[in-house]
Structure formats: structure tokens, C-alpha cells
Amino acid sequence: MRVGVLTGGGDCPGLNAVIRAVVRKGIKDYGYEFVGFRDGWRGPLEGDTMELDRAAVRGILPRGGTILGSSRTNLMKIEGGVERVKDNMAGLGIDALVAIGGEDTLGVATQLTEQGVNVVGVPKTIDNDLNATDYTFGFDTAVNIATEAIDRLHTTAESHHRALVVEVMGRHAGWIALHSGMAAGANAILIPERPFDIDEVVGWVESRFQTEYAPIIVVAEGAHPKDGQMELSTGEKDSFGHVRLGGIGQRLAEEIEKRTGKESRSVVLGHVQRGGTPSAFDRVLATRLGVQAIDAVRDRDWGKMVALQGTDVVRVELSAATEKLKTVPPERYAEAEVFFG
């Protein structure tokens, strides 16, 4: 069997570990051949490939990013896109496809499955917002990076008696903000699932200053105030219709300084959270998912996604991954809220 592999969407620590596991087990145990598609769905759309053999995946386990490259190409918005993918796969002699990605990548994979393409999915996102899996690889690394950054910011904030607003990733789900904020002892955590009250945030900031400590506010990029409290600008959209976010941290710092008279600064961690060496947890999880993904290919269990549920890696319907977003429930937020201020 000849198997194609692609990585789509944003890059993520652990992607190379999945590629390595899929290729090594597929070659060793099943004698499969592998072809890597470059830059997400652009690869099969344009027939842009690279060889994936044992030599190609040697030494990539600890590397961040993806050796295959990535993109946010949405072939479903390209006329004749599905037929082009089918034709290119047939021309290359590819029998099946392992698609590694998040909501958008797996959404396309689901639609391809419905149109007869043999696909197995592997969930990836630092945001940890995919349904049907307890954790996605990349999340643990992103949280560790954000936590270390917040730890460092505590000391400089207290030295200068400033309020610091730390903006982390999280478009619709606040998992990174919640976990890193709790781990680093933030004085407030603002997430997309719960519109914040700017008066309440200012109260937390002032309470912290009264104890002679400087406040740290962690805010997810998709967090927003209650209606009518603050004006926020919106950016352009990508090919999947997502508005490019960024700026809530700066806007919030400006508002805090205006209302409290205390010097405030914002720090945007941005793509730092995506880059670099994956954590041990993410390397192990990514490897386990890769091993199970190639087993699903062997079983010809098309239209499935491998997922972590509890401590077990199981197979679920690929469509379940994008059925709904996995967001932070109120009770999880309440666990952190008792420490605010």
C-alpha cells in the first residue's frame, strides 16, 4: 500500500513525532510506502510531494514545526478541488491519506471521506479545542511556554509596579489561558467563553496593587468584553473564514491604565507558543496517535480519527472532531476564579 501524509493548518509541536511514528511503523510492520504532501491541502491539490522513508524521518522526533510544511489552503473553496485531489492521488498511486490537523484540516478530511477518499485523521491543535479527544498534542508544550513566560513577567512587573497583560492564543476556547494562568498564579484569566466585565477586571487589578504586588492578567486572543464596554477592531479573514485575531491584550492594557492611573503594558506571546521543541508529554502522545493511525490504515478503517480518551487511544468518527468545539466549561473556570484579584 502507498500512503500519503499531510499536515495542515497552523504548525504545532509534535507534528514531526506523528509523521515519524506513521512512517516507521508503516514501513517496519506493514511494508508500506509513504509520500509526504507539502504544505497541507495544497500538496494533494497540486501534486507537490516529497519522499517519506526512514531516512527522511530520522532525528525529527524532538523538532518543532513540520518537515512537510503547512498552509491554510481550503480546497473545498477551489473549483474542482476534490477531483484534482483524487486525480493526483490516483496518478501517484496513493491508496490512502493520513491527514494531521485541527478543525479546518479535519473538516476537509471529513468531506473527502464522504466523497470516497480513504482518509484517517490525527487531531492536532495547541488550542485543545477539538471535540472527541481529551487532549491534543501541542497543547502541553504551549501551556509550558506560556507558564514560563508568565513566571518571568511576575518579577519584572513587581520591580516596576506595573500591571502586565499577557495575551495567549485561543480563538474560541480558553484552554491555554486557563491552564497557564492557573499554573503561573495569574490574578485574572479572561477567556472567549465568558465575556468579561471591565469594571470587575479593574477591581482585581486595584486589589492586587493594594497588597503591594503587581497584577498579571492572562487573556486569550479571542476574549471579549461584555456588550458596549469596549470597542475592539476586527481583522481580515483567512480562507476558512476566520478573522485574524490579536490586539485584545494591548487594548485591555490601555483601558486598565486609563482607569487605574497605574502604568500597564501588554505582552503578546503569539507564535512563540507554537515553536520549538515539544514537551515529553506531547512527544509521547503524538507518537501514540501516529502508531494508532497507521493501524487504522492497515484495518482500512476509513473516516476515523484516532483520539485520546482517558489514557487510551481510540478511534472515533472523523466527523466527531469538528461536530462542535470543545470549550472551557463554567465549572473549570470557577476553579481558577477563586484566586482572582
Side-chain angles (χ1 to χ4, degrees), residues 297-318:
V297 170
R298 174 204 58 190
D299 296 339
R300 300 180 181 273
D301 200 1
W302 314 126
K304 294 296 175 63
M305 179 187 81
V306 291
L308 182 70
Q309 294 185 358
T311 58
D312 298 324
V313 176
V314 301
R315 299 176 194 173
V316 299
E317 293 296 325
L318 189 52

Side-chain angles (χ1 to χ4, degrees), residues 13 140-150 269 272-277:
D140 183 72
T141 303
V143 169
N144 286 338
I145 291 169
T147 300
E148 181 181 355
I150 298 165
L269 297 186
V272 170
Q273 297 157 88
R274 290 190 181 279
T277 301

Side-chain angles (χ1 to χ4, degrees), residues 239-320:
S239 62
F240 286 93
H242 300 310
V243 173
R244 289 188 170 91
L245 299 177
I248 182 61
Q250 178 64 32
R251 183 68 187 86
L252 191 60
E254 292 171 354
E255 195 71 17
I256 289 172
E257 183 166 323
K258 175 183 174 182
R259 292 180 179 231
T260 65
K262 298 288 187 178
E263 191 174 6
S264 302
R265 293 287 187 272
S266 67
V267 177
V268 181
L269 297 186
H271 286 73
V272 170
Q273 297 157 88
R274 290 190 181 279
T277 301
S279 66
F281 179 90
D282 280 339
R283 295 186 204 188
V284 172
L285 176 57
T287 298
R288 293 182 67 196
L289 292 173
V291 166
Q292 294 297 326
I294 199 61
D295 282 349
V297 170
R298 174 204 58 190
D299 296 339
R300 300 180 181 273
D301 200 1
W302 314 126
K304 294 296 175 63
M305 179 187 81
V306 291
L308 182 70
Q309 294 185 358
T311 58
D312 298 324
V313 176
V314 301
R315 299 176 194 173
V316 299
E317 293 296 325
L318 189 52
S319 58

Side-chain angles (χ1 to χ4, degrees), residues 72 77 104 171 235-244:
R72 296 193 181 277
K77 287 193 174 182
D104 297 325
R171 174 181 298 276
E236 59 184 18
K237 295 182 179 180
D238 64 18
S239 62
F240 286 93
H242 300 310
V243 173
R244 289 188 170 91

Side-chain angles (χ1 to χ4, degrees), residues 1 13 22 32 36 82 104-105 159 214 243 291 307:
M1 183 179 289
V22 166
Y32 293 165
V82 173
D104 297 325
T105 301
S159 296
V243 173
V291 166

Side-chain angles (χ1 to χ4, degrees), residues 99-130:
I100 312 166
E103 174 192 4
D104 297 325
T105 301
L106 297 184
V108 171
T110 299
Q111 294 179 70
L112 285 177
T113 298
E114 293 169 351
Q115 299 193 46
V117 179
N118 299 331
V119 184
V120 169
V122 180
K124 171 251 22 163
T125 169
I126 66 169
D127 291 332
N128 198 41
D129 60 358
L130 278 175

